[in-house]
Every structure is written in C-alpha cells, then in structure tokens.
C-alpha cells in the first residue's frame, strides 16, 4: 500500500475511510493521496512556542571554528560524521559500505568525508554550519537550561 502526499492542494475534500481512499483510483494500483491535518485542540499535549525568550547560540561560528579552539579527538568524533558520498546519485552512505544503498554504485574508490553532525551542533550550541543551526524550542526557562 502506497500512501503519498500531493504536491499541492486544490479543494477541501471531505474525510473518507482508508478503504474509500484506497478504492479512489479504481483499485488499479492501491495508491491514494491525502493530507493529515486539523488536530483537535486538547487532544494532544501542547506548549505554546515562546516568542520573547530566545537564546542566542553559545558558540559563535561553525563546528570547525569550535574545533580550532577546543578541538580534541573526542569533540571531533562528535561534531563530524564519517561518511562516503555517492558520486553517482549524491546519497550520503555509512563509511563502511562498499556500494551505495540507494543506487548500488561502487564506493570502493570513494574517499571518506567528514561533514558536520548537525545534531551535535545543537547540543554544543554552535551557531551555524553551511546553514544556521536553529531548532524550534517549545518551552524554555533558565531553570531547565
């Protein structure tokens, strides 16, 4: 069963059952399109996004700037991923793979590269990499951080 999202929405469609959605293409290939939205207020835990309590990044600059000052093997192992990027399709693969897990292209002669670990950048409070390291924070008070 394939469930896909349309690239754009044209009209509001009344909710239907999964069976009705799957039958919507005449049963030819089991593909349907729908969007999940409109959660009822009070159905899920919710914390308002604070607008006036933003914290600037603790570390100005990039992971490389941080490593130049505080670098050691431990920090480098955390802030950098060890990968092989497929030259055929561009997929980032584990450095231990001998062929791309997307297109099957041989990675035997591909050098290992070390791109930023974005999640570790969040943990260290680093400002940016090739793009700003920002994350939506739902609730933040000095007592917690």
């Amino acid at each position: 069963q394939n469930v896909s999202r349309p690239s754009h929405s044209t009209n509001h469609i009344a909710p239907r059952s999964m069976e009705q959605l799957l039958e919507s293409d005449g049963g030819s290939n089991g593909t349907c399109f729908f969007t999940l939205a409109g959660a009822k207020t009070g159905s899920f835990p919710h914390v308002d996004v604070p607008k006036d309590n933003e914290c600037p990044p603790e570390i100005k600059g990039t992971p490389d700037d941080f490593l130049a000052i505080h670098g050691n093997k431990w920090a480098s192992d955390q802030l950098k991923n060890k990968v092989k990027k497929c030259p055929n399709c561009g997929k980032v693969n584990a450095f231990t793979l001998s062929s791309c897990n997307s297109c099957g292209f041989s990675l035997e002669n591909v050098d290992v590269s070390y791109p930023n670990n974005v999640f570790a950048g969040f943990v260290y409070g680093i400002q940016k990499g090739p793009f700003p390291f920002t994350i939506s924070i739902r609730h933040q008070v000095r007592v917690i951080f």
Side-chain angles (χ1 to χ4, degrees), residues 12-56:
H12 174 72
I13 300 172
R16 297 183 285 171
S17 70
M18 182 60 79
E19 290 77 21
Q20 289 171 319
L21 288 168
L22 291 173
E23 293 170 0
S24 66
D25 70 345
S28 62
N29 65 11
T31 301
C32 63
F33 296 94
F34 60 93
T35 303
L36 301 177
K40 292 180 181 178
T41 303
S43 297
F44 301 96
H46 172 78
V47 178
D48 290 328
V49 177
K51 300 286 185 210
D52 59 347
N53 195 16
E54 292 186 16
C55 291

Side-chain angles (χ1 to χ4, degrees), residues 60 64-71:
K60 303 294 184 204
D64 291 328
D65 297 334
F66 176 85
L67 290 172
I69 297 169
H70 306 286

Side-chain angles (χ1 to χ4, degrees), residues 12-130:
H12 174 72
I13 300 172
R16 297 183 285 171
S17 70
M18 182 60 79
E19 290 77 21
Q20 289 171 319
L21 288 168
L22 291 173
E23 293 170 0
S24 66
D25 70 345
S28 62
N29 65 11
T31 301
C32 63
F33 296 94
F34 60 93
T35 303
L36 301 177
K40 292 180 181 178
T41 303
S43 297
F44 301 96
H46 172 78
V47 178
D48 290 328
V49 177
K51 300 286 185 210
D52 59 347
N53 195 16
E54 292 186 16
C55 291
E58 289 291 321
I59 309 298
K60 303 294 184 204
T62 67
D64 291 328
D65 297 334
F66 176 85
L67 290 172
I69 297 169
H70 306 286
N72 58 42
K73 180 157 177 28
W74 179 75
S76 181
D77 286 348
Q78 290 183 351
L79 286 170
K80 297 292 184 173
N81 291 321
K82 190 174 181 182
V83 302
K84 286 187 177 182
K85 185 173 180 178
C86 178
N88 187 52
C89 72
K91 167 87 168 62
V92 175
N93 293 272
F95 73 96
T96 56
L97 294 180
S98 58
S99 61
C100 178
N101 63 7
S102 179
C103 71
F105 190 83
S106 175
L107 301 175
E108 292 292 332
N109 297 319
V110 175
D111 292 333
V112 172
S113 60
Y114 298 88
N116 296 320
N117 181 332
V118 176
F119 296 108
F122 290 146
V123 170
Y124 277 92
I126 295 175
Q127 179 183 25
K128 63 184 178 179

Side-chain angles (χ1 to χ4, degrees), residues 45-51 53 135-141 145:
H46 172 78
V47 178
D48 290 328
V49 177
K51 300 286 185 210
N53 195 16
I135 190 168
S136 175
I137 298 175
R138 295 291 179 195
H139 184 68
Q140 180 174 309
V141 293
F145 292 102

